[in-house]
DNA sequence: TTTCAATAAATGTCAGACAATTGATGCGCG
DNA sequence: CGCGCATCAATTGTCTGACATTTATTGAAA
């Protein structure tokens, strides 16, 4: 790996980058053991706390895992979809909340991506996903549900729709768009009539997916997007008045 | 913030999580200054290296930035699209390379998502994006281009297409899908005829976008996906024989 | 042969110190 | 009174050394 001159970057950041590059480049394969902290100290000519800070940076990105004991050490982690999901959702959520992204922009992105899944989902849906969608529709129909719980159920419904496309890459990329919308939706209060409209569209979409009709599912999503935008607009207008 | 019992997690991981939750929850807003390391030590009853490791974990995710000097300290960082892009692309790339995702799966996800952008791009494209697409087409047409350079230009073309949709959320979510494909494509060697086909489709797509014809762009993308899959299949079959 | 304790290696944590950076303070001088 | 400059103080960056904890290995005893 490379050396570390007196640049303006932290030593720990430079060391982390060097190791990260080695992983990306394939010089360090999955489950490979990194040199021990003492060896890394010698290699980079820095102290142990500095090396440790670098390793913690990598651990925070799930790039490595550490293990104590005699045969312990730092190992290149196999990045799994579950960890990547969690990170992606966190980043997406913060990105939206910190950058004043308009509701319209986020909504447009979400439905554009979801519609991309519809034909695949209609073609490949398994009983498992249909069951989740039905269950969430049932759940949403309970009149004493809080707005937050309604939103959470909405997200679960859409996640099942995305997962029905049976493409893990698609599910991963969409997780950010779908889940990150939840905080934005939580400011909306739904009247009983609003909920009924949304549930009706969910039923229509679920039926279309079950029937293998991608076009109908797509049209349902389009209407759902319009309904969502209309709802949000009503709320915002009322608030600013 | 919460206390840290003797759980099985590292202290630094627990502290990092506590601060991260505070940021997500909105208790720490953008540009807010965190307590100094010494104060955090007192608050969590741990030593300074432990606190520092926790802060480095957060810095690795661009959640905080640190500044030296009298008015220095750790500040909540405004997560910008640029940093989020870089992280997302790294994670996506590693996710694909470490999990034996098939070429077909990645390709399907990429084109499904890109097709979602096509109608928006056709509607909103600016001269800027059209110019990039034309320039990349020119670049790709140079016969002495290496395969890697050809792939890089291909990615640049598609990124311009995505950006033309003028939705930063969409661009962000798609960055992972488009860029992460590049390493998978790099194993393919393109004959002159293959390149000609791809470039012809690029021209067709660019023209459709320029003309504001979303449907034509979509059909171009469908053909490009089929062409890409066919190309990859040919390579893999030849390799296994 | 099996069981169990000692050992060694590695990470996790702590304490204290010094260096480097940078804004704030106060002093002197015009 | 205002400006410039040196000093100071607060904070992070890094180092040294030590001890605690965990875990596989080794070797001795039953």
């Amino acid at each position: 790996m490379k050396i570390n001159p007196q640049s303006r970057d932290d030593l720990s950041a430079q060391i982390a980058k060097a190791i990260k590059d080695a992983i990306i480049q394939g010089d360090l394969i999955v489950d490979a053991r990194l040199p021990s902290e003492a060896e890394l100290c010698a290699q980079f000519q820095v102290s142990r706390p500095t090396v440790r800070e670098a390793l913690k940076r990598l651990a925070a990105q799930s790039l490595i895992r550490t293990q104590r004991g005699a045969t312990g050490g730092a190992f290149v982690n196999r990045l799994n979809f579950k960890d990547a999901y969690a990170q992606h959702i966190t980043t997406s959520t913060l990105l939206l909340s910190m950058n004043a992204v308009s509701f319209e922009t986020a909504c447009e992105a979400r439905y554009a991506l979801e519609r991309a899944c519809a034909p695949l989902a209609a073609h490949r849906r398994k009983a498992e996903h249909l069951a989740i969608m039905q269950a969430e529709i049932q759940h949403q129909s309970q009149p004493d549900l809080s707005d937050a719980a309604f939103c959470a159920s909405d997200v679960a419904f859409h996640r099942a729709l995305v997962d029905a496309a049976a493409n893990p890459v698609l599910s991963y990329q969409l997780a950010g768009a779908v889940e990150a919308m939840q905080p934005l939706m939580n400011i909306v209060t739904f009247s009983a009539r609003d909920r009924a409209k949304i549930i009706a569209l969910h039923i229509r979409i679920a039926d279309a997916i079950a029937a293998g009709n991608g076009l109908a599912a797509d049209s349902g999503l389009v209407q759902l997007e319009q309904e969502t935008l209309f709802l949000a607009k009503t709320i915002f207008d009322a608030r600013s008045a």
Side-chain angles (χ1 to χ4, degrees), chain A residues 55-135:
Chain A
L55 294 178
K56 292 311 162 197
R57 293 179 112 106
L58 300 173
Q61 299 172 285
S62 305
L63 288 181
I64 63 170
R65 62 179 185 277
T66 56
Q67 197 178 333
R68 294 219 278 194
T71 60
F75 298 84
V76 177
N77 203 17
R78 160 161 275 124
L79 198 56
N80 56 45
F81 279 94
K82 187 166 161 293
D83 289 346
Y85 265 50
Q87 271 185 234
H88 186 39
I89 290 170
T90 300
T91 306
S92 299
T93 305
L94 286 174
L95 197 56
L96 258 56
S97 72
M98 285 180 173
N99 286 277
V101 172
S102 75
F103 190 88
E104 287 78 12
T105 302
C107 201
E108 174 180 284
R110 172 187 168 165
Y111 281 99
L113 295 176
E114 239 178 273
R115 287 173 61 194
C117 296
L120 294 170
H123 196 243
R124 301 199 186 133
R125 80 284 182 279
K126 298 264 185 272
E128 169 195 351
H129 303 118
L130 295 176
I132 295 177
M133 291 165 81
Q134 293 298 342

Side-chain angles (χ1 to χ4, degrees), chain A residues 142-160:
Chain A
Q142 295 175 3
D144 57 344
L145 213 60
S146 72
D147 279 333
F150 184 79
C151 281
S153 173
D154 181 74
V155 168
F157 175 87
H158 286 279
R159 189 168 38 206

Side-chain angles (χ1 to χ4, degrees), chain A residues 1 3 28 40 74 86 111 123 127 131 157 191 198 231 234:
Chain A
M1 309 190 200
I3 336 168
L28 291 168
L40 288 173
Y111 281 99
H123 196 243
F157 175 87
S191 73
I198 291 173
L231 238 167
T234 307

Side-chain angles (χ1 to χ4, degrees), chain A residues 176-190:
Chain A
V178 175
E179 307 257 350
M181 283 287 293
Q182 199 170 359
L184 296 182
M185 291 296 292
N186 273 341
I187 56 173
V188 179
T189 42
F190 298 97

